[in-house]
């Protein structure tokens, strides 16, 4: 391409793909060595050019109370303004799936329906990823491999799900079969187990959605090695996904869920340079961490090595004449040097686009993301990482003003205002409390109860276990000894047992001093909701208090927002 000649962004993405297809039919020599291209057309592939993962909405770690409003139309419009063409929407595997009735979705489908319609209306395509489990949970995969009845139920579920969402759009909704299969890492099975299982699920999707594009992936966490071991499916409308986080020593430094050695890593540069590597090694107490840093320094990571990794996936796609797609990539930003993180993101994005590979960065708003919130529980005070947008080749001037989602609380006092004494009352909406915790795993369910307009009016919980449970707000309020506070909330409960309203108190280091400061029990009622309130005077040593509901044993109850008021200690 001559200097000064600029193509539109979509054209820059499509040109390598068009050349790939053209080469496949260029003449007898290629016709003998390359099969015809099998995949969706260029216009549909262009929809998969620049994407972002919406990781905090319906994934396993999301708060169910925020299903209705944790991502709003203003945010979707921001993504379009920035230049994103699609979103990838991960769903908790059990959010909609009922094994006993796999063709009938759980009630949360209405929230997903609203979300998908809103995203489509904003002009974004949607990659629906409904089997996106936690990285430490192989229960779904194990059942798919060992249990024929479960496989049949999963296929029935996928067929119904595909039929349901194909009615929303036949060309702008993509169905991703499963996220990061990795049973071979947990059981002594060959990675090839996934080939036949994936083919069966793809056939079920195709029965439900004849016109939509399917996204398939390889085993081994959906990485490039898994892709290379995969045989293309007998379907001509499939895109093949891989995830790219190499080298994890750099991209996941400081990430606690990857293990204690990786969690200790901090300040590693990209590309490695001797002074920064020496400083990082000197800061490590664990000799295993120092050894890992030394290996990283010798591996030659930089733009060329990233391109070589991407080329492996691109070559596999060319050899099979199918399109490939990078469904996840990113750098954990907790301790990675900010400039180096952006350099890695820019280098990988450039390598992907050079091979005509669409991409979806991980993610929108968590610890890999492009957006942060000054008050995360309220999703208020959004801060857009403009340099990250620039590294992605997108518009760094795109802004997201004010609050976000339906629970932004625009115009309401902030927690900072309350602590500073600018207001005596603060409201913590139930839509952004933390998730229900139960001593017995899986013993509790959460859902929102809508008002006549469809907006969430209360939080409903059902506890089936016999042991203790807790419904914390997640908001810690800085306090001083001798201050006087009241806590109130509406509750409607039934049954013989009753919940308690209380504060959790902690010292300056965050250690719990009391789980039940000011505890007051709500009597079981069925006629209507009651307003329950309690008052506390802050004891010595307490630095923060956090509102919560808690109890023991089975319960069905509905809760309203927490309201905390600072009281005059001299008042009667």
């Amino acid at each position: 391409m001559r200097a000064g000649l600029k193509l539109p962004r979509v054209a820059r993405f499509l040109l390598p793909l068009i050349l790939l297809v053209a080469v496949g039919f260029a003449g007898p020599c290629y016709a003998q060595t390359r099969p015809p291209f099998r995949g969706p057309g260029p216009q549909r592939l262009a929809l998969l050019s620049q994407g972002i993962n919406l990781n905090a909405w319906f994934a396993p770690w999301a708060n169910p109370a925020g299903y209705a409003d944790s991502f709003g139309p203003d945010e979707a419009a921001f993504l379009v303004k920035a230049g994103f063409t699609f979103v990838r929407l991960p769903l908790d595997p059990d959010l909609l799936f009922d094994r006993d009735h796999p063709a009938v979705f759980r009630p949360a489908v209405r929230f997903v329906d609203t979300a998908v319609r809103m995203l489509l209306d904003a002009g974004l395509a949607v990659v629906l990823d409904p089997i996106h489990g936690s990285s430490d949970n192989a229960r779904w995969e194990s059942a798919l491999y060992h249990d024929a009845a479960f496989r049949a139920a999963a296929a029935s579920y996928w067929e119904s799900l595909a039929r349901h969402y194909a009615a929303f759009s036949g060309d702008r909704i993509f169905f991703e079969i499963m996220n990061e299969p990795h049973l071979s890492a947990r059981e002594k099975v060959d990675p090839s187990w996934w080939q036949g299982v994936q083919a069966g699920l793809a056939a079920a999707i195709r029965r439900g959605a004849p016109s939509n594009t399917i996204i398939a992936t390889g085993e081994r966490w959906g990485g490039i090695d898994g892709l290379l071991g995969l045989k293309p499916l007998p379907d001509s409308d499939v895109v093949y996904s891989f995830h790219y986080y190499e080298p994890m020593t750099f991209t996941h430094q400081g990430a606690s869920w990857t293990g204690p050695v990786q969690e200790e890593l901090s300040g590693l540069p990209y590309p490695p340079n001797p002074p920064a590597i020496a400083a990082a090694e000197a800061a490590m107490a664990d000799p295993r961490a120092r050894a890992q840093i030394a290996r990283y320094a010798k591996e030659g990571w930089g733009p060329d090595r990233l391109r070589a990794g991407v080329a492996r996936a691109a070559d596999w796609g060319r050899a099979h004449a199918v399109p490939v797609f990078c469904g996840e990539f990113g750098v954990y930003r907790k301790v990675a040097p900010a400039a180096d993180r952006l350099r890695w993101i820019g280098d990988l994005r450039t390598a992907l686009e050079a091979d005509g590979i669409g991409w979806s960065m991980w993610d929108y708003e968590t610890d890999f993301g492009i957006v942060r919130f000054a008050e995360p529980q309220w999703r208020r005070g959004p801060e857009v990482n403009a340099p990250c947008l620039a590294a992605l080749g997108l518009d760094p001037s795109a802004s997201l003003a004010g609050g976000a989602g339906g629970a932004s609380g625009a115009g309401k006092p902030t927690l900072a205002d309350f602590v500073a004494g600018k207001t005596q009352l603060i409201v913590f909406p139930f839509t952004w409390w933390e998730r229900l915790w139960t001593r017995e795993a899986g013993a509790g369910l959460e859902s929102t109860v809508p008002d006549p307009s469809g907006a969430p009016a209360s939080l409903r919980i059902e506890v089936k276990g016999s042991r203790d449970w807790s419904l914390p707000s997640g908001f810690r309020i800085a306090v001083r000894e001798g201050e006087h506070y009241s806590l109130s909330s509406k509750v409607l409960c039934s049954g013989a047992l009753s919940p308690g309203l209380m504060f959790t108190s902690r010292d300056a280091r965050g250690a719990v001093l009391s789980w039940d400061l000011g505890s007051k029990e709500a009597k079981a009622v069925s006629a209507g909701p009651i307003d329950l309130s309690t008052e506390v005077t802050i004891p010595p040593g307490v630095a923060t208090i956090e509102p919560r509901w808690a109890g023991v044993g089975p319960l069905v109850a509905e809760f309203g927002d927490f309201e905390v008021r600072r009281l005059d200690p001299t008042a009667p």
Side-chain angles (χ1 to χ4, degrees), residues 43 67 111 390 409:
Q43 288 185 332
Y67 287 164
F111 296 118

Side-chain angles (χ1 to χ4, degrees), residues 19 47 63 92 124 129 152 161 180 196 211 216 224 227 258 261 292 310 337 423 451 456-457 471 519-520 541-542:
L19 292 175
L47 294 173
N63 186 343
D92 184 322
L124 293 160
D129 172 24
L161 196 72
E180 294 188 348
S211 302
I224 293 177
L227 178 70
T258 58
V261 175
Q292 187 168 335
V310 170
T423 179
D451 63 17
L471 190 59
S519 177
K520 189 169 184 179
V542 173

